[in-house]
Amino acid sequence: MISPIPMPDFPVQIIRKLNHAGFEAYAVGGCVRDVLLGKMPLDWDITTSALPQEVCRVFSDYRVIETGIRHGTVTVVLNRQAAEITTYRVDGGYADSRHPDNVTFTPSLIEDLKRRDFTVNAMVWHPDTGITDQVGGIDDLNNRVLRCVGDPDRRFSEDALRILRALRFSSVYDLKLELSTDAALRRCREGLKHISAERIQSELFRLICGDHADRVLTDYPEVFAVILPETEDDINVKGITFTVNALQKAPPILPCRLAILLGRCPDQAETVLRRLKADNETIATVTALLQASALPLSPDSIILTHALHNLGEERLRLLLAVKQAESPNQTDWEAINKALNRLLQGNPCYSTAQLQIGGKELLSLGFRGPAVGKGLNELLQQVMDGKIPNDAAILQEVAATLPKE
Ligand code: ATP
Ligand code: MG
């Protein structure tokens, strides 16, 4: 059953201000859905009878960003929170499976609700009248059902991004697709080829971090084959069972989930992530995790020090989470995590920057050119292997025995 949280002040202030100026206004879409599900929304959408210029006038004392004004959207910033205020509208034809060819403003709230993708996203809320639900969104939310507003084939052909939005909502909120929505989604899947990489990325990344990503990946292999052809063999064949089991066990941290998903095609992981226009940090982390997948791991402090050297603390913790999800019973992961915490408390030395000797000292000992770097590395290896302590005097002594050119 749904258990709503109280609507915060922020959307109420915006709605009241528009009402005082003589316009209709409601919170709409995802924020209403999230409040009904007891979750604090990440962003606020307001739908209003006011035209964009009228919205700008009502909020002339506020920071107003006119980015989406052609489609009727104005962003208003209040106390560092932002709301997207969109004029009631109907969308024209969709020649490109993504963008409406034109949008027309309408004075009718109902018309505006009909253009929205799913019933759970087509409810409005007002501080005086509460929820208005013209499409059965509350029942669907209660029954954990995701259903298109209107004819599903038409809605998915108009805008194929809705296919991935549907699977994202299914994964994140544990909604099952209503039968005709499900069938149409599968039929229209090729439309995803017309959707920009950035939009696919944003939906896919949220989908795989959902609590029910395992079910969605298992149930819709033909859809993932369109956007992730590289993993197709595995998504369609046995490998998927291993992948989805591990996905479900891994924490909902993007690089962990991606490393598991792309662990089926590690050689192509970077290509896939670049195609999806993932950010450089995500690409670097995921590829580092995949490259380190064969790294020996045990509670032994020398092994762990080398792992820290290879990956750094943050990535090592991610790798441990991935490995634990992939093979929960093969290793005593708790012992490894405890040993790592203990090791880190003692400030271990695992990079040349932490050595109690630096390049300058080696130069003054007569080291030249590449021998400086090589010398520091050799000293670091000896410290990490526990052969010598990280002590300035001892490091100087050992350095004196190393090749200087
Ligand atoms: P979230 O904010 O969690 O990503 P959301 O449903 O709020 O989910 P937004 O992109 O914020 O997604 O969109 C707000 C609302 O606009 C949606 O709830 C829906 O009513 C409508 N909407 C968004 N994208 C589409 C779309 N592609 N087709 C039809 N309606 C859409
Ligand atoms: Mg939203």
Side-chain angles (χ1 to χ4, degrees):
M1 269 319 226
I2 51 184
S3 52
I5 53 167
M7 195 57 87
D9 279 348
F10 173 64
V12 176
Q13 277 173 276
I14 305 255
I15 291 167
R16 293 260 185 244
K17 225 171 143 44
L18 284 160
N19 289 163
H20 285 148
F23 302 107
E24 293 175 21
Y26 300 87
V28 66
C31 59
V32 178
R33 175 201 68 219
D34 288 351
V35 163
L36 285 173
L37 286 170
K39 295 175 203 290
M40 185 52 77
L42 296 175
D43 54 41
W44 296 97
D45 287 293
I46 308 292
T47 188
T48 180
S49 58
L51 293 169
Q53 293 310 333
E54 293 170 326
V55 175
C56 291
R57 226 173 300 137
V58 171
F59 292 96
S60 54
D61 293 343
Y62 295 74
R63 221 181 115 216
V64 172
I65 307 161
E66 297 189 13
T67 37
I69 203 152
R70 259 178 4 107
H71 290 103
T73 303
V74 171
T75 303
V76 171
V77 185
L78 202 121
N79 303 331
R80 295 217 201 109
Q81 284 189 288
E84 290 209 334
I85 305 178
T86 305
T87 307
Y88 295 164
R89 68 172 217 225
V90 274
D91 298 339
Y94 287 75
D96 64 353
S97 298
R98 175 63 199 125
H99 299 98
D101 302 336
N102 54 67
V103 303
T104 318
F105 300 131
T106 165
S108 158
L109 169 66
I110 306 301
E111 286 301 312
D112 180 77
L113 295 182
K114 282 199 274 186
R115 76 168 172 91
R116 295 178 182 273
D117 47 7
F118 306 108
T119 61
V120 297
N121 287 346
M123 293 178 274
V124 292
W125 178 89
H126 187 279
D128 297 333
T129 52
I131 302 273
T132 303
D133 174 19
Q134 297 278 338
V135 290
I138 292 190
D139 280 349
D140 282 344
L141 211 50
N142 262 321
N143 298 322
R144 288 285 197 260
V145 168
L146 191 81
R147 185 193 310 267
C148 282
V149 175
D151 174 57
D153 278 288
R154 215 193 80 212
R155 303 315 307 282
F156 288 129
S157 339
E158 281 171 358
D159 176 2
L161 183 67
R162 291 174 189 152
I163 294 170
L164 223 46
R165 279 176 57 88
L167 298 187
R168 189 249 294 184
F169 294 129
S170 178
S171 166
V172 173
Y173 301 109
D174 196 19
L175 305 176
K176 307 280 170 359
L177 272 58
E178 172 275 331
L179 269 176
S180 67
T181 296
D182 182 286
L185 175 141
R186 293 177 202 267
R187 276 194 293 273
C188 298
R189 64 185 186 275
E190 295 286 328
L192 281 169
K193 290 185 174 154
H194 304 291
I195 303 296
S196 75
E198 289 88 346
R199 286 178 183 271
I200 300 252
Q201 185 232 93
S202 140
E203 294 299 331
L204 178 68
F205 285 9
R206 291 173 79 180
L207 186 165
I208 62 168
C209 288
D211 283 349
H212 305 274
D214 55 332
R215 174 177 51 72
V216 173
L217 279 162
T218 311
D219 288 352
Y220 298 93
E222 69 271 52
V223 178
F224 292 98
V226 176
I227 54 172
L228 292 172
E230 295 84 354
T231 58
E232 188 177 4
D233 286 349
D234 289 297
I235 283 198
N236 283 328
V237 199
K238 315 173 226 65
I240 189 64
T241 316
F242 172 81
T243 303
V244 298
N245 283 342
L247 259 192
Q248 191 203 10
K249 292 196 182 79
I253 301 171
L254 183 63
C256 284
R257 298 269 170 127
L258 280 172
I260 291 171
L261 184 69
L262 299 173
R264 310 307 304 166
C265 56
D267 298 341
Q268 296 178 76
E270 186 174 346
T271 314
V272 172
L273 292 172
R274 292 217 180 277
R275 177 161 47 74
L276 292 172
K277 304 216 161 44
D279 63 276
N280 286 337
E281 176 60 25
T282 301
I283 298 176
T285 305
V286 175
T287 48
L289 293 178
L290 290 171
Q291 275 162 15
S293 75
L295 207 68
L297 292 169
S298 85
D300 179 273
S301 63
I302 294 181
I303 297 230
L304 285 177
T305 308
H306 280 273
L308 281 167
H309 173 64
N310 274 310
L311 288 167
E313 181 185 344
E314 198 183 333
R315 286 181 183 174
L316 177 56
R317 290 198 187 275
L318 295 176
L319 180 69
L320 286 169
V322 168
K323 302 297 267 181
Q324 178 164 7
E326 286 178 338
S327 49
N329 303 319
Q330 259 172 33
T331 308
D332 186 349
W333 297 107
E334 204 189 314
I336 298 185
N337 280 308
K338 275 190 185 155
L340 178 62
N341 290 339
R342 227 179 301 122
L343 178 66
L344 284 164
Q345 274 166 14
N347 271 329
C349 171
Y350 56 88
S351 70
T352 48
Q354 293 166 299
L355 281 174
Q356 296 297 324
I357 193 168
K360 259 196 217 149
E361 284 96 330
L362 291 202
L363 284 169
S364 63
L365 283 172
F367 280 72
R368 292 290 168 262
V372 177
K374 277 189 198 154
L376 287 174
N377 268 325
E378 174 57 29
L379 293 170
L380 177 65
Q381 293 298 325
Q382 295 202 23
V383 171
M384 291 199 301
D385 288 341
K387 290 181 183 154
I388 52 171
N390 186 18
D391 171 281
I394 296 177
L395 289 166
Q396 293 243 359
E397 253 173 54
V398 178
T401 68
L402 298 175
K404 301 196 174 57
E405 310 236 349

